[in-house]
Amino acid sequence: VQLVESGGGLVQPGGSLRLSCAASGFTFSDYAMGWFRQAPGKERVFVAYISRSGGILYYADSVKGRFTVSRDNAENAVSLQMNSLKPEDTAVYYCATRSDPNGSVGFRVSDYNPWGQGTQVTVSS
């Protein structure tokens, strides 16, 4: 089982980035997925959730209206489109698999396993 994130980088405030997460080693369409982020010296926190079909979405209040999560089950991939980025969005971003395929929406780190290695997003002028 492997999750590999990509698409991070340095962007100016107000800019956009699109993160991707490629999954392999499991039946991707059977599992909901989540995005989390961890800023330096802080805990890893929930950013977005997408159900197995992509029909149910949840976002942290801090990113609602700016970030959009999507998935392509044919490509075994989940994405996070990030617009209107702010300096406080700076963090390492992780994708993760909802560990219980029949579980409810997950907002906690402990609801997810496995995790990708993370990709750094830095928002700075």
Side-chain angles (χ1 to χ4, degrees):
V1 176
Q2 190 174 24
L3 300 174
V4 179
E5 299 98 335
S6 61
L10 173 65
V11 62
Q12 292 186 343
S16 298
L17 280 176
R18 185 177 181 86
L19 305 183
S20 296
C21 173
S24 60
F26 65 104
T27 305
F28 181 71
S29 58
D30 283 351
Y31 291 85
M33 300 293 294
W35 284 95
F36 286 71
R37 67 186 181 187
Q38 187 167 16
K42 296 188 176 181
E43 294 184 347
R44 193 172 299 187
V45 296
F46 170 81
V47 173
Y49 165 94
I50 185 166
S51 64
R52 291 176 290 185
S53 67
I56 299 173
L57 308 175
Y58 281 90
Y59 299 94
D61 288 343
S62 59
V63 307
K64 203 171 293 182
R66 300 187 297 121
F67 289 13
T68 302
V69 61
S70 61
R71 67 189 294 161
D72 185 337
N73 286 342
E75 296 293 329
N76 290 346
V78 59
S79 298
L80 185 68
Q81 177 67 43
M82 305 186 297
N83 299 328
S84 302
L85 283 161
K86 305 175 181 180
E88 51 264 42
D89 294 319
T90 295
V92 177
Y93 284 72
Y94 299 88
C95 68
T97 305
R98 181 75 173 90
S99 54
D100 181 354
N102 298 311
S104 59
V105 177
F107 298 103
R108 302 171 299 180
V109 170
S110 60
D111 291 331
Y112 293 82
N113 184 53
W115 293 78
Q117 84 289 350
T119 186
Q120 176 70 47
V121 171
T122 302
V123 185
S124 175
S125 54

